[in-house]
Structure formats: C-alpha cells, structure tokens
Amino acid sequence: WLPIDILMSIEAKTNALLNFLLLLIVYLCVRWLHTKKDYLILFASLTVGLAVGTRLNGLLGAGIIFFTLVFAYHGQIWKFFTEKPRRVILFLLPFVGLFVSSPHLLVHPKYIVRMWSRAGSGSLLWSLDVASQNILHTLKFLAGGWVGFFLFIGSIGIAVYGIKKWSLAHKVVASWFLLYLFIFSQTSVPIIRYAYPLLPVWLLLFGSFCSNVLLHARPWPRRLVWGIVSIWGLTVLPFSLAYMSMLREAPLQHVANSYIEDVIPRGRSIGTYFNAEFYNRVPINYEKYIIFPCRDLEEGVRTLNDFNTMPDYLEVPVRGVDCMERIFHTSEAYTPMATFTRPISFGPFTFDV
C-alpha cells in the first residue's frame, strides 16, 4: 500500500524488485524443504545473484539458503554437498545470476566496489547506537499505523518462538525475518524503502500464527484473533487510502524548494543532503546556488576538511539527517526559517507520515 514510493522513486522501484527476488528465494527454499528437488535450491542460488545485481543488499538472500541448509541438516551443512558432490555448483550460480542482471560488470568489474563505497544512507552502522526514532516511525508506517506496529512487535516474539517449535519451513521464514530486521536496524538511515523485504515475511509469520489459532485453539483465543485482525484491518484501510490520496497533490519537497527559490537570493550557499546527481529528489536550481551536499561526504567525493565554512542556509528533512547534524550542527548553528509538513487524512482519520 505504498504506491507513491513505487511510482515516483527510482530507488524504490529497485527495492520493489529486490523484495520480489528475496521472497522468491524464500519460496524456492521452502519448496525444496518439502520436495528435496535440487533444481529448486539451485534456482534460489541463481536468484541470489540476480538480487545482488539489482541491489547490493540482495546478498542477504544467501542467508535464506544458509538457514534452509542449517535446519534441513541440523547444522551439518556439509552433508548437502557430500550426498551429491555436483551440488557445489550452488557456489557458482550466484555469479551467473549477477552477470545476467548486471552484464556491465564484465567490462567494469570495479563498479560493484564503487557502489559498495557509495552506500550512503544504506550503509551499515554495526553499532548499538541506532536511529531508534526513525526505526519506530518506519515500522509503524510499514504496518499501517499503531495497531499494526504492535502486531509487528508481537511478531518478533512469534518468530523467536517459531524457530524453536515450528516446522522447518517456519523456522526458515522466522530466521530470515529476524536477520533482515537486525540488518535494517543497523542501516544508517532506516527509511521505508529499506524495510520493504520485512513486509511479506511479517505477514507470512503473522498469518500463519493466526491460522494456527483459528484452526486449533479454544473459542476465546479465536475470538481474540478475529477481533485484533478486524481492528487492524479497519485502521489499515483508511491509512492506505489516505496515503494514496497524496498522489493527487504536489510533492512536499517541490513546495519547499519553490519557497527556497522565491526567498533565497542567487549566489547564496545552501546545505543539503543530496548532491547534483540526485537533483530530481531535491530539484533546487544547482546553477543558481552554491550547494554543500552531505551526500558527497558519504560517497567519499569530499572530506570533512572541504566543509570548513558553514552554508548560509540549510534544507533539512523534518526528521533530520545524521550527516547534516554532524557536519553543519543544524540544531545549534541555525534557526528554523520555514517548515513544510503535510499530514495525510481520509475522512475523520489523520495520519502522521
């Protein structure tokens, strides 16, 4: 239910494709657990390469195959290869998939290293000091409001329980859910498009739990599940309709940039997050102003020494960007000049996005 991201963001389109490929790997691995037909897990291995060629974090798809083999062989993964030595092709197929999805790597093999070094907002922190506010906001948004958010948090407990008690297929899905949730929490800027792969596996886990209760539990737990799901559905529907209504309005970023070009004189300096390469997301006239982009710092194009003077103005997302606070000391050195927000609503419902 996130059409504006899918339709209006180049990166969101690749994230949507990555989401499909990762979900396909999950499906192929689960089918292999049930049938033990080798072509399924080999195709999953090929799909890992396709996913990496789509976005670098497609490499996480290898974790799904790893969990599958760990649970299928009770930790003794080597048995998968000793049973049939030709299965070592599992290690080669990701490279085939990578070159199929990104054939330019044959000519420019250093390109993938360059992309890795320019991860920007998608880079990993490997720290306990995470952007907790952004994570909570994104998960609430992903789940369609506060009701869905608490169901999502409950699903973490379901996943942990599932690894111990459920079938092999459930264990694979639960492990993948927990792994990707951990990786997402370590993202430098945990925004909604990075959370896409969580949505289908969360729904699988939660749906499986609900179906278990409805089929096997006593009457009162069944009534409780029906009640919770109904309340969630009633909140998700207006939330999704309200969000889709944003497609009929001018993007808020364009409104803010029009204000900047009306108010700020030509030749002044402006600190932004995005650089000229991403002008479509921050369509300020880059020839009209001197731009100080934090994105250049994250990509290694500039160093901290290049930011030895402070820009006259800053354009900062409402929820802030760590890079801009770190470089420009936003909250200390600048006074808000104008703020642009647009809560979305549908009928009597208003949502903060």
Side-chain angles (χ1 to χ4, degrees):
W1 48 71
L2 306 171
I4 194 167
D5 281 344
I6 300 298
L7 295 175
M8 301 184 69
S9 168
I10 293 173
E11 288 197 8
K13 288 178 181 175
T14 58
N15 273 281
L17 177 57
L18 174 67
N19 196 2
F20 166 75
L21 292 173
L22 291 174
L23 191 59
L24 178 60
I25 296 170
V26 171
Y27 171 76
L28 292 169
C29 288
V30 169
R31 289 294 301 153
W32 178 81
L33 285 171
H34 288 132
T35 65
K36 290 298 190 292
K37 293 181 178 178
D38 283 359
Y39 76 89
L40 291 167
I41 199 164
L42 294 178
F43 187 31
S45 178
L46 178 72
T47 307
V48 170
L50 296 175
V52 175
T54 303
R55 290 190 69 80
L56 290 180
N57 54 340
L59 184 62
L60 293 171
I64 305 171
I65 298 176
F66 174 77
F67 290 134
T68 302
L69 296 178
V70 165
F71 292 125
Y73 289 91
H74 305 287
Q76 298 175 320
I77 298 178
W78 62 88
K79 288 186 177 180
F80 173 76
F81 302 102
T82 55
E83 285 176 0
K84 297 179 182 179
R86 65 176 180 272
R87 285 175 170 173
V88 293
I89 196 175
L90 188 81
F91 295 110
L92 300 177
L93 287 173
F95 295 98
V96 175
L98 176 61
F99 289 123
V100 167
S101 61
S102 299
H104 60 282
L105 289 175
L106 292 169
V107 182
H108 303 288
K110 293 183 179 180
Y111 179 75
I112 197 166
V113 177
R114 179 172 174 265
M115 290 302 294
W116 193 279
S117 66
R118 298 179 60 188
S121 61
S123 59
L124 298 180
L125 300 173
W126 303 119
S127 168
L128 294 176
D129 184 19
V130 298
S132 54
Q133 290 283 341
N134 286 343
I135 292 171
L136 293 177
H137 172 75
T138 297
L139 294 181
K140 184 191 79 170
F141 189 43
L142 185 75
W146 282 113
V147 176
F149 171 77
F150 286 115
L151 294 180
F152 185 96
I153 298 301
S155 296
I156 297 175
I158 293 172
V160 173
Y161 173 83
I163 290 176
K164 292 183 177 180
K165 302 290 185 180
W166 285 352
S167 68
L168 294 180
H170 282 93
K171 290 179 179 180
V172 169
V173 174
S175 299
W176 166 238
F177 173 73
L178 294 173
L179 171 65
Y180 197 89
L181 181 61
F182 169 73
I183 295 296
F184 171 71
S185 72
Q186 292 296 307
T187 305
S188 177
V189 184
I191 49 183
I192 185 68
R193 64 175 180 267
Y194 298 148
Y196 282 162
L198 286 170
L199 183 59
V201 286
W202 166 52
L203 293 175
L204 281 171
L205 282 172
F206 183 66
S208 180
F209 173 77
C210 290
S211 64
N212 253 341
V213 172
L214 294 174
L215 290 173
H216 305 296
R218 295 178 179 180
W220 73 264
R222 292 206 298 268
R223 294 190 191 101
L224 180 62
V225 165
W226 273 119
I228 292 173
V229 171
S230 299
I231 293 171
W232 179 47
L234 289 173
T235 58
V236 165
L237 181 60
F239 179 89
S240 56
L241 291 174
Y243 195 71
M244 285 190 288
S245 70
M246 292 178 66
L247 290 172
R248 297 195 297 268
E249 304 178 24
L252 197 61
Q253 188 74 61
H254 289 212
V255 176
N257 289 335
S258 296
Y259 173 84
I260 287 174
E261 297 204 11
D262 287 341
V263 173
I264 300 178
R266 177 184 290 272
R268 303 302 290 270
S269 57
I270 302 177
T272 67
Y273 174 69
F274 292 109
N275 52 22
E277 187 174 346
F278 295 89
Y279 69 93
N280 60 317
R281 268 183 276 168
V282 188
I284 300 174
N285 187 336
Y286 276 79
E287 296 179 356
K288 186 176 178 180
Y289 302 105
I290 302 169
I291 304 297
F292 287 71
C294 267
R295 182 86 186 194
D296 283 353
L297 181 69
E298 290 185 340
E299 295 179 355
V301 178
R302 299 190 187 191
T303 66
L304 281 171
N305 293 330
D306 296 321
F307 291 92
N308 53 9
T309 60
M310 301 289 279
D312 301 321
Y313 302 90
L314 293 184
E315 183 187 51
V316 185
V318 171
R319 298 187 184 278
V321 174
D322 178 65
C323 170
M324 299 192 73
E325 180 63 44
R326 202 159 28 88
I327 302 305
F328 301 131
H329 310 289
T330 311
S331 57
E332 299 174 10
Y334 291 87
T335 302
M337 182 175 169
T339 302
F340 298 88
T341 60
R342 182 190 292 147
I344 60 172
S345 60
F346 179 79
F349 300 95
T350 300
F351 304 93
D352 173 28
V353 297

